[in-house]
Structures are given as C-alpha cells and as structure tokens.
Amino acid sequence: MASGKRIAIAGPSIGPQEIAYVTEAVETGWYEHANDFPARFEAAMAAQVGVRFAVATPSCTSAIHLALAARRIGPGDEVIVPDLTWIASSAPITYVGATPVFADCDPETWCITAAAIERRLAPRTKAIIAVDLYGSMPQLEEIRRLADARGLFLIEDAAEAIGSTLGGRAAGSFGHAGVFSFHGSKTVTTGEGGMFVTDDPALLERVRFLRDHGRAPGEKMFWNSEVAFKYRMSALQAALGLAQVERVNELVEKKRQILSWYREELADLPWLTFNVEPPGVRNSVWMTTVIFPMRPENEKERVIRALGERGIDLRPFFYPLSTLPAYEQLPAAAAARREHRRAHEISKYGVNLPCALRLERSDIATVAGALRGVVAPPA
Ligand SMILES: *Cc1c(COP(=O)(O)O)cnc(C)c1O
C-alpha cells in the first residue's frame, strides 16, 4: 500500500469482473432487462447459501424489517436479540412496534447462546434474531430446535458472515429467514445492499408483496391492497453484487489470511484473544477482532486514539445495545446491564483491527508493531 495513506479498517476488493458487470448493467439493464442482474444475483446468493429463495433488498436492515413484518410481528410482541451486535440487528424490531429483549453472549464465540435465549423467554416472545458476530457462529442448530419447539420465528443475521459455515452448512441457512448485508464495509459489497433468504414459499410470497408497496403478483397496475414498503435493489448494484459473490471464496480467504497474519505478527503476546472458530465452524472473519487484558490502560477508546494518531484505523468492539442511549428507557436494557458482566467487559477491551481487503502483510506488520507499543500485558 502506498505510504501516507491511513491503514483502513474495512473496504472492498474490486476486480475486472466487477467493472465488466456494472458496465454491462448500465448499458443494458433497462427496459425488459431491468430485472436480469437482480435475478442473477438472487440466484447466485441462494446457491451460495444453499436455500431455495433469495430477495435482494436495499440493505440488511430493510431485509430484517421485511422478515419481521412478513411474520406479522408487531406491538405487544417481544423479540430476543444479542446484547453484543450492531443496532441494525435490533432497530427493525422497533420499526414494527415490537420490543427488543437483549440476551447474553458467550465470552469465547461472542455470540448469543441457546441458554441465554431460554433465560429471556416470556409469554410475549415471538421471534429470535441470532447474529453471526464478526463471522463467528452461535449454536444455531440448538437455537433452531428451541425456536421450533416453541413456535418462535428465527432470523439468522448473517450480515457479517457470508462464507462462514457450521457443520458444513452456510451461514444464513439456519433460520426460518436469513439476512445479509452488502454495505461497503462488508466482505461482499454492493455499496449499500442486502439480501433476504428463506426456504419457506409462503414467507417469500409475503416478503415480495411487502417490499413492493403491497402489490400482489398478477394484480393490475398501481393497485395496492395494503400500505407496505419499497425495498428493491437496482440492476447496477446487483451487477456489482453478482461479480462479488462469484469471488466470495477468494474474498473470504483474504479475510482469513489477514487474521492469520495478525496471529503470526503478535505471536509473542499470547494474552491477546483473537476471533475463535467454535467447534464445527469455519469463521469467515469479517473483522479481525482482538480483546486486550482487562485493565484500565487497555480500554478500547484509549487504544483506538493512540493508533489513530499513527494513521491506523481501529474500530471499537460493538457497544452492548443495552448501554446505548437509544435503549436507555427500555426495561430489558436494565436487566442486561446488570447481568451481562462478562460480555460487557469484552466489549470494553475489544477492538476490530484494520482488515480492508486491499491490505498487505506489511500493513499488518505496521499495525502489530504499533499495537505492541500501546497495549499493556495482564496486570
Ligand atoms: C452491517 C450489519 C447490519 C446492517 O446492514 P446494512 O446493510 O447496513 O443495513 C445488520 N446486522 C449486522 C450484524 C451488521 O453487521
């Protein structure tokens, strides 16, 4: 990488195929061909995930919104979501008028657990959103069994996990619905974009209806039977996404390589905790993430500031949702703040390291050197 540039936290790899497809889309993706690239992108994603149906959306947030709305989750309902995740996982719960309930996360996998979900079950619980944090994966088979036994709707938020597998099965395929993000920071990108996936034809039909202003397929033009949403993806974005998905194995290999470079460069600091691969999981490592020894000098904001001054972009581990001002008034947040001590400590001493797809080994060595000078060993 050219010197003088900041070492970026995240960013895409754009190759000749991306340029070719987007050029083709802007030249031809109109008139009777307007849906060609979206349909190809959806088919490629369905194949990648191993599910029957995929629907391209403007974002992962809108895909979660659609999933909840399609299942008619609404006022009075509770939806269980992990305390450690990005607010995009939970914000759509509020969009449909339901209430988020935060569940604890495993200190090693950083993901929600079946036991933590069980502790938050209540008569009003209607759905679970399980998140594959930073490419790690929770015990999704167990969580699916729990959901099915209780008639709960399970959404797998695989926004950060395209290319991860559990027991050989792709991330995104374990819920009644799965969702992905193609935001510019994600491993596979369309700039902004998302995908809803499912094996359930009835759910698919409802999602297609809701994402196009409540028009039933085959209904006469401009004839809406419900007030709904407008959540579609353009041919230009889908063309970019198709080229990226065709390269998903290469992109994931690079992400995994970046993590292994960090492990090698920092092998002399065995007290650093990196992303793990839970049993049976192949972790696609969207973000190389490291947890420091828990002492005040190592609080994430301090380390982020120190490396920022050296031209290195770190990101904080997600703040627990239960600590955000956005959820201050929520009764479930108070319980989470009291009970999720370990998870909250991980967040306090955790950062994402630069893992943009353009980075090279020398960049990783630079970050490792800077980190070594800033992070304190266990007290
Ligand atoms: C990025 C992300 C989202 C949201 O994706 P958008 O496409 O930005 O809406 C949702 N959930 C998780 C876990 C994410 O990391």
Side-chain angles (χ1 to χ4, degrees):
M1 211 179 83
S3 63
K5 275 194 206 152
R6 294 185 71 80
I7 300 186
I9 184 78
S13 159
I14 301 296
Q17 191 75 334
E18 281 81 349
I19 309 290
Y21 283 5
V22 174
T23 303
E24 187 185 339
V26 77
E27 285 171 352
T28 70
W30 313 102
Y31 304 105
E32 66 275 24
H33 295 297
N35 198 45
D36 290 3
F37 273 110
R40 286 171 71 190
F41 183 32
E42 289 170 349
M45 275 299 291
Q48 150 68 28
V49 183
V51 293
R52 292 176 68 191
F53 311 113
V55 179
T57 58
S59 64
C60 179
T61 307
S62 49
I64 299 172
H65 188 188
L66 282 171
L68 293 170
R71 187 57 187 247
R72 295 182 164 84
I73 310 282
D77 296 337
E78 291 184 357
V79 179
I80 296 174
V81 63
D83 202 358
L84 294 181
T85 183
W86 172 226
I87 196 170
S89 302
S90 64
I93 301 168
T94 305
Y95 301 170
V96 298
T99 304
V101 174
F102 306 123
D104 207 357
C105 296
D106 181 85
E108 305 218 336
T109 68
W110 308 330
C111 292
I112 197 169
T113 65
I117 291 168
E118 285 201 62
R119 278 198 296 279
R120 295 290 183 228
L121 289 174
R124 288 166 178 258
T125 309
K126 288 288 158 50
I128 301 161
I129 300 175
V131 180
D132 303 321
L133 205 73
Y134 303 133
S136 181
M137 292 177 75
Q139 315 144 294
L140 282 162
E141 285 149 326
E142 210 177 322
I143 292 170
R144 175 66 187 259
R145 275 195 298 276
L146 187 159
D148 284 339
R150 304 198 180 237
L152 304 176
F153 182 50
L154 175 62
I155 301 173
E156 183 186 354
D157 180 350
E160 304 178 358
I162 192 167
S164 290
T165 59
L166 167 59
R169 262 176 71 189
S173 69
F174 288 85
H176 302 97
V179 292
F180 291 88
S181 172
F182 308 117
H183 178 259
S185 67
K186 297 294 182 354
T187 303
V188 163
T189 190
T190 60
E192 295 278 1
M195 192 72 68
F196 165 93
V197 302
T198 189
D199 281 323
D200 178 348
L203 194 63
L204 171 78
E205 193 182 325
R206 183 79 187 148
V207 161
R208 286 204 174 133
F209 169 84
L210 288 176
R211 69 95 155 240
D212 201 15
H213 280 312
R215 292 190 297 177
E219 187 50 271
K220 66 184 172 185
M221 193 112 205
F222 302 142
W223 196 253
N224 312 84
S225 44
E226 287 177 44
V227 177
F229 314 107
K230 178 63 195 302
Y231 283 158
R232 299 183 66 95
M233 178 183 275
S234 76
L236 301 186
Q237 290 166 301
L240 179 52
L242 179 63
Q244 289 262 287
V245 167
E246 289 178 356
R247 294 175 57 213
V248 63
N249 293 338
E250 174 200 338
L251 300 177
V252 167
E253 272 317 307
K254 181 70 191 270
K255 286 288 189 181
R256 288 174 59 86
Q257 182 172 54
I258 289 171
L259 170 60
S260 69
W261 284 341
Y262 277 115
R263 284 185 183 284
E264 287 170 28
E265 294 288 342
L266 292 164
D268 56 318
L269 309 183
W271 33 263
L272 292 175
T273 305
F274 288 98
N275 314 59
V276 296
E277 289 196 305
V281 171
R282 187 164 191 277
N283 189 334
S284 59
V285 199
W286 170 52
M287 286 276 168
T288 289
T289 301
V290 61
I291 315 298
F292 306 131
M294 297 178 184
R295 49 186 294 188
E297 304 91 303
N298 290 344
E299 282 186 25
K300 61 185 171 187
E301 280 93 353
R302 184 185 159 272
V303 179
I304 291 167
R305 216 177 305 117
L307 268 73
E309 286 161 6
R310 294 164 170 79
I312 298 167
D313 289 332
L314 306 186
R315 269 190 194 174
F317 198 109
F318 293 124
Y319 293 92
L321 295 179
S322 62
T323 65
L324 298 178
Y327 289 122
E328 205 173 341
Q329 306 302 325
L330 199 69
R337 286 194 297 270
R338 269 196 317 275
E339 295 167 25
H340 302 170
R341 282 212 16 253
R342 284 278 286 137
H344 286 212
E345 276 176 351
I346 283 167
S347 162
K348 190 169 175 183
Y349 299 100
V351 299
N352 307 131
L353 298 179
C355 45
L357 288 162
R358 72 174 180 193
L359 296 186
E360 292 159 11
R361 175 100 195 204
S362 58
D363 299 308
I364 305 310
T366 303
V367 177
L371 211 54
R372 195 178 285 107
V374 166
V375 177

PDB file of all heavy atoms in Angstrom, residues 103-123:
ATOM      1  N   ALA A 103     -30.232 -10.586  24.998  1.00  0.00           N
ATOM      2  CA  ALA A 103     -29.735 -11.832  25.595  1.00  0.00           C
ATOM      3  C   ALA A 103     -28.212 -11.801  25.670  1.00  0.00           C
ATOM      4  O   ALA A 103     -27.549 -11.139  24.859  1.00  0.00           O
ATOM      5  CB  ALA A 103     -30.205 -13.031  24.772  1.00  0.00           C
ATOM      6  N   ASP A 104     -27.685 -12.546  26.620  1.00  0.00           N
ATOM      7  CA  ASP A 104     -26.247 -12.581  26.886  1.00  0.00           C
ATOM      8  C   ASP A 104     -25.498 -13.303  25.761  1.00  0.00           C
ATOM      9  O   ASP A 104     -26.088 -14.047  24.975  1.00  0.00           O
ATOM     10  CB  ASP A 104     -25.997 -13.307  28.209  1.00  0.00           C
ATOM     11  CG  ASP A 104     -24.710 -12.861  28.882  1.00  0.00           C
ATOM     12  OD1 ASP A 104     -23.979 -12.033  28.290  1.00  0.00           O
ATOM     13  OD2 ASP A 104     -24.440 -13.345  29.994  1.00  0.00           O
ATOM     14  N   CYS A 105     -24.198 -13.069  25.717  1.00  0.00           N
ATOM     15  CA  CYS A 105     -23.357 -13.667  24.674  1.00  0.00           C
ATOM     16  C   CYS A 105     -22.248 -14.485  25.302  1.00  0.00           C
ATOM     17  O   CYS A 105     -21.798 -14.201  26.419  1.00  0.00           O
ATOM     18  CB  CYS A 105     -22.772 -12.571  23.788  1.00  0.00           C
ATOM     19  SG  CYS A 105     -24.069 -11.694  22.904  1.00  0.00           S
ATOM     20  N   ASP A 106     -21.802 -15.494  24.573  1.00  0.00           N
ATOM     21  CA  ASP A 106     -20.733 -16.372  25.045  1.00  0.00           C
ATOM     22  C   ASP A 106     -19.400 -15.613  25.001  1.00  0.00           C
ATOM     23  O   ASP A 106     -19.078 -14.999  23.979  1.00  0.00           O
ATOM     24  CB  ASP A 106     -20.673 -17.611  24.147  1.00  0.00           C
ATOM     25  CG  ASP A 106     -19.611 -18.565  24.602  1.00  0.00           C
ATOM     26  OD1 ASP A 106     -19.898 -19.383  25.484  1.00  0.00           O
ATOM     27  OD2 ASP A 106     -18.471 -18.467  24.093  1.00  0.00           O
ATOM     28  N   PRO A 107     -18.600 -15.667  26.077  1.00  0.00           N
ATOM     29  CA  PRO A 107     -17.357 -14.892  26.094  1.00  0.00           C
ATOM     30  C   PRO A 107     -16.319 -15.374  25.078  1.00  0.00           C
ATOM     31  O   PRO A 107     -15.400 -14.632  24.746  1.00  0.00           O
ATOM     32  CB  PRO A 107     -16.848 -15.044  27.525  1.00  0.00           C
ATOM     33  CG  PRO A 107     -17.625 -16.144  28.138  1.00  0.00           C
ATOM     34  CD  PRO A 107     -18.889 -16.310  27.358  1.00  0.00           C
ATOM     35  N   GLU A 108     -16.451 -16.607  24.578  1.00  0.00           N
ATOM     36  CA  GLU A 108     -15.460 -17.088  23.607  1.00  0.00           C
ATOM     37  C   GLU A 108     -15.901 -16.856  22.165  1.00  0.00           C
ATOM     38  O   GLU A 108     -15.131 -16.371  21.350  1.00  0.00           O
ATOM     39  CB  GLU A 108     -15.204 -18.576  23.830  1.00  0.00           C
ATOM     40  CG  GLU A 108     -14.792 -18.829  25.268  1.00  0.00           C
ATOM     41  CD  GLU A 108     -13.736 -19.882  25.389  1.00  0.00           C
ATOM     42  OE1 GLU A 108     -13.619 -20.724  24.483  1.00  0.00           O
ATOM     43  OE2 GLU A 108     -13.031 -19.849  26.406  1.00  0.00           O
ATOM     44  N   THR A 109     -17.162 -17.213  21.857  1.00  0.00           N
ATOM     45  CA  THR A 109     -17.626 -17.063  20.467  1.00  0.00           C
ATOM     46  C   THR A 109     -18.154 -15.663  20.207  1.00  0.00           C
ATOM     47  O   THR A 109     -18.322 -15.273  19.061  1.00  0.00           O
ATOM     48  CB  THR A 109     -18.767 -18.045  20.155  1.00  0.00           C
ATOM     49  OG1 THR A 109     -19.922 -17.668  20.918  1.00  0.00           O
ATOM     50  CG2 THR A 109     -18.387 -19.473  20.499  1.00  0.00           C
ATOM     51  N   TRP A 110     -18.460 -14.909  21.292  1.00  0.00           N
ATOM     52  CA  TRP A 110     -19.040 -13.557  21.231  1.00  0.00           C
ATOM     53  C   TRP A 110     -20.473 -13.578  20.705  1.00  0.00           C
ATOM     54  O   TRP A 110     -21.052 -12.528  20.407  1.00  0.00           O
ATOM     55  CB  TRP A 110     -18.186 -12.604  20.386  1.00  0.00           C
ATOM     56  CG  TRP A 110     -16.740 -12.572  20.779  1.00  0.00           C
ATOM     57  CD1 TRP A 110     -16.233 -12.785  22.039  1.00  0.00           C
ATOM     58  CD2 TRP A 110     -15.601 -12.315  19.942  1.00  0.00           C
ATOM     59  NE1 TRP A 110     -14.858 -12.670  22.018  1.00  0.00           N
ATOM     60  CE2 TRP A 110     -14.443 -12.390  20.743  1.00  0.00           C
ATOM     61  CE3 TRP A 110     -15.457 -12.022  18.596  1.00  0.00           C
ATOM     62  CZ2 TRP A 110     -13.161 -12.186  20.255  1.00  0.00           C
ATOM     63  CZ3 TRP A 110     -14.186 -11.817  18.090  1.00  0.00           C
ATOM     64  CH2 TRP A 110     -13.037 -11.894  18.903  1.00  0.00           C
ATOM     65  N   CYS A 111     -21.051 -14.767  20.572  1.00  0.00           N
ATOM     66  CA  CYS A 111     -22.401 -14.884  20.002  1.00  0.00           C
ATOM     67  C   CYS A 111     -23.415 -15.255  21.089  1.00  0.00           C
ATOM     68  O   CYS A 111     -23.063 -15.775  22.144  1.00  0.00           O
ATOM     69  CB  CYS A 111     -22.418 -15.961  18.916  1.00  0.00           C
ATOM     70  SG  CYS A 111     -21.482 -15.518  17.447  1.00  0.00           S
ATOM     71  N   ILE A 112     -24.674 -15.029  20.769  1.00  0.00           N
ATOM     72  CA  ILE A 112     -25.801 -15.417  21.621  1.00  0.00           C
ATOM     73  C   ILE A 112     -25.763 -16.938  21.816  1.00  0.00           C
ATOM     74  O   ILE A 112     -25.232 -17.662  20.973  1.00  0.00           O
ATOM     75  CB  ILE A 112     -27.112 -14.969  20.928  1.00  0.00           C
ATOM     76  CG1 ILE A 112     -28.301 -14.945  21.886  1.00  0.00           C
ATOM     77  CG2 ILE A 112     -27.418 -15.830  19.709  1.00  0.00           C
ATOM     78  CD1 ILE A 112     -29.520 -14.241  21.277  1.00  0.00           C
ATOM     79  N   THR A 113     -26.307 -17.422  22.944  1.00  0.00           N
ATOM     80  CA  THR A 113     -26.365 -18.866  23.177  1.00  0.00           C
ATOM     81  C   THR A 113     -27.816 -19.300  23.384  1.00  0.00           C
ATOM     82  O   THR A 113     -28.669 -18.478  23.737  1.00  0.00           O
ATOM     83  CB  THR A 113     -25.571 -19.271  24.437  1.00  0.00           C
ATOM     84  OG1 THR A 113     -26.206 -18.682  25.586  1.00  0.00           O
ATOM     85  CG2 THR A 113     -24.125 -18.831  24.358  1.00  0.00           C
ATOM     86  N   ALA A 114     -28.053 -20.603  23.199  1.00  0.00           N
ATOM     87  CA  ALA A 114     -29.399 -21.134  23.413  1.00  0.00           C
ATOM     88  C   ALA A 114     -29.809 -20.939  24.877  1.00  0.00           C
ATOM     89  O   ALA A 114     -30.955 -20.581  25.169  1.00  0.00           O
ATOM     90  CB  ALA A 114     -29.433 -22.623  23.035  1.00  0.00           C
ATOM     91  N   ALA A 115     -28.856 -21.143  25.803  1.00  0.00           N
ATOM     92  CA  ALA A 115     -29.182 -20.988  27.236  1.00  0.00           C
ATOM     93  C   ALA A 115     -29.568 -19.540  27.544  1.00  0.00           C
ATOM     94  O   ALA A 115     -30.504 -19.281  28.305  1.00  0.00           O
ATOM     95  CB  ALA A 115     -27.988 -21.416  28.085  1.00  0.00           C
ATOM     96  N   ALA A 116     -28.844 -18.587  26.940  1.00  0.00           N
ATOM     97  CA  ALA A 116     -29.147 -17.169  27.192  1.00  0.00           C
ATOM     98  C   ALA A 116     -30.522 -16.802  26.624  1.00  0.00           C
ATOM     99  O   ALA A 116     -31.257 -16.012  27.215  1.00  0.00           O
ATOM    100  CB  ALA A 116     -28.062 -16.288  26.572  1.00  0.00           C
ATOM    101  N   ILE A 117     -30.867 -17.404  25.490  1.00  0.00           N
ATOM    102  CA  ILE A 117     -32.195 -17.159  24.906  1.00  0.00           C
ATOM    103  C   ILE A 117     -33.275 -17.698  25.847  1.00  0.00           C
ATOM    104  O   ILE A 117     -34.265 -17.028  26.135  1.00  0.00           O
ATOM    105  CB  ILE A 117     -32.292 -17.817  23.512  1.00  0.00           C
ATOM    106  CG1 ILE A 117     -31.394 -17.087  22.526  1.00  0.00           C
ATOM    107  CG2 ILE A 117     -33.750 -17.824  23.020  1.00  0.00           C
ATOM    108  CD1 ILE A 117     -31.195 -17.814  21.202  1.00  0.00           C
ATOM    109  N   GLU A 118     -33.036 -18.923  26.348  1.00  0.00           N
ATOM    110  CA  GLU A 118     -34.038 -19.519  27.246  1.00  0.00           C
ATOM    111  C   GLU A 118     -34.300 -18.659  28.466  1.00  0.00           C
ATOM    112  O   GLU A 118     -35.437 -18.554  28.928  1.00  0.00           O
ATOM    113  CB  GLU A 118     -33.590 -20.924  27.665  1.00  0.00           C
ATOM    114  CG  GLU A 118     -33.781 -21.916  26.525  1.00  0.00           C
ATOM    115  CD  GLU A 118     -33.859 -23.346  27.001  1.00  0.00           C
ATOM    116  OE1 GLU A 118     -34.788 -23.664  27.767  1.00  0.00           O
ATOM    117  OE2 GLU A 118     -32.970 -24.124  26.609  1.00  0.00           O
ATOM    118  N   ARG A 119     -33.244 -18.030  28.974  1.00  0.00           N
ATOM    119  CA  ARG A 119     -33.429 -17.164  30.149  1.00  0.00           C
ATOM    120  C   ARG A 119     -34.285 -15.938  29.837  1.00  0.00           C
ATOM    121  O   ARG A 119     -34.824 -15.320  30.738  1.00  0.00           O
ATOM    122  CB  ARG A 119     -32.062 -16.711  30.687  1.00  0.00           C
ATOM    123  CG  ARG A 119     -31.389 -17.738  31.574  1.00  0.00           C
ATOM    124  CD  ARG A 119     -30.287 -17.114  32.427  1.00  0.00           C
ATOM    125  NE  ARG A 119     -29.200 -16.586  31.615  1.00  0.00           N
ATOM    126  CZ  ARG A 119     -28.217 -17.330  31.096  1.00  0.00           C
ATOM    127  NH1 ARG A 119     -28.182 -18.630  31.291  1.00  0.00           N
ATOM    128  NH2 ARG A 119     -27.269 -16.763  30.372  1.00  0.00           N
ATOM    129  N   ARG A 120     -34.396 -15.560  28.573  1.00  0.00           N
ATOM    130  CA  ARG A 120     -35.161 -14.356  28.213  1.00  0.00           C
ATOM    131  C   ARG A 120     -36.545 -14.684  27.633  1.00  0.00           C
ATOM    132  O   ARG A 120     -37.268 -13.778  27.227  1.00  0.00           O
ATOM    133  CB  ARG A 120     -34.374 -13.530  27.186  1.00  0.00           C
ATOM    134  CG  ARG A 120     -33.066 -12.954  27.712  1.00  0.00           C
ATOM    135  CD  ARG A 120     -33.304 -11.861  28.726  1.00  0.00           C
ATOM    136  NE  ARG A 120     -32.061 -11.258  29.185  1.00  0.00           N
ATOM    137  CZ  ARG A 120     -31.763 -11.047  30.479  1.00  0.00           C
ATOM    138  NH1 ARG A 120     -32.623 -11.356  31.409  1.00  0.00           N
ATOM    139  NH2 ARG A 120     -30.608 -10.492  30.821  1.00  0.00           N
ATOM    140  N   LEU A 121     -36.876 -15.972  27.562  1.00  0.00           N
ATOM    141  CA  LEU A 121     -38.189 -16.334  27.005  1.00  0.00           C
ATOM    142  C   LEU A 121     -39.304 -15.843  27.912  1.00  0.00           C
ATOM    143  O   LEU A 121     -39.193 -15.904  29.135  1.00  0.00           O
ATOM    144  CB  LEU A 121     -38.305 -17.854  26.844  1.00  0.00           C
ATOM    145  CG  LEU A 121     -37.468 -18.489  25.739  1.00  0.00           C
ATOM    146  CD1 LEU A 121     -37.586 -20.010  25.805  1.00  0.00           C
ATOM    147  CD2 LEU A 121     -37.904 -17.981  24.369  1.00  0.00           C
ATOM    148  N   ALA A 122     -40.385 -15.357  27.304  1.00  0.00           N
ATOM    149  CA  ALA A 122     -41.549 -14.881  28.053  1.00  0.00           C
ATOM    150  C   ALA A 122     -42.777 -15.197  27.210  1.00  0.00           C
ATOM    151  O   ALA A 122     -42.654 -15.528  26.028  1.00  0.00           O
ATOM    152  CB  ALA A 122     -41.415 -13.387  28.301  1.00  0.00           C
ATOM    153  N   PRO A 123     -43.962 -15.084  27.810  1.00  0.00           N
ATOM    154  CA  PRO A 123     -45.178 -15.396  27.018  1.00  0.00           C
ATOM    155  C   PRO A 123     -45.289 -14.558  25.748  1.00  0.00           C
ATOM    156  O   PRO A 123     -45.865 -15.008  24.757  1.00  0.00           O
ATOM    157  CB  PRO A 123     -46.308 -15.077  28.002  1.00  0.00           C
ATOM    158  CG  PRO A 123     -45.698 -15.239  29.361  1.00  0.00           C
ATOM    159  CD  PRO A 123     -44.264 -14.824  29.218  1.00  0.00           C
TER     160      PRO A 123
END
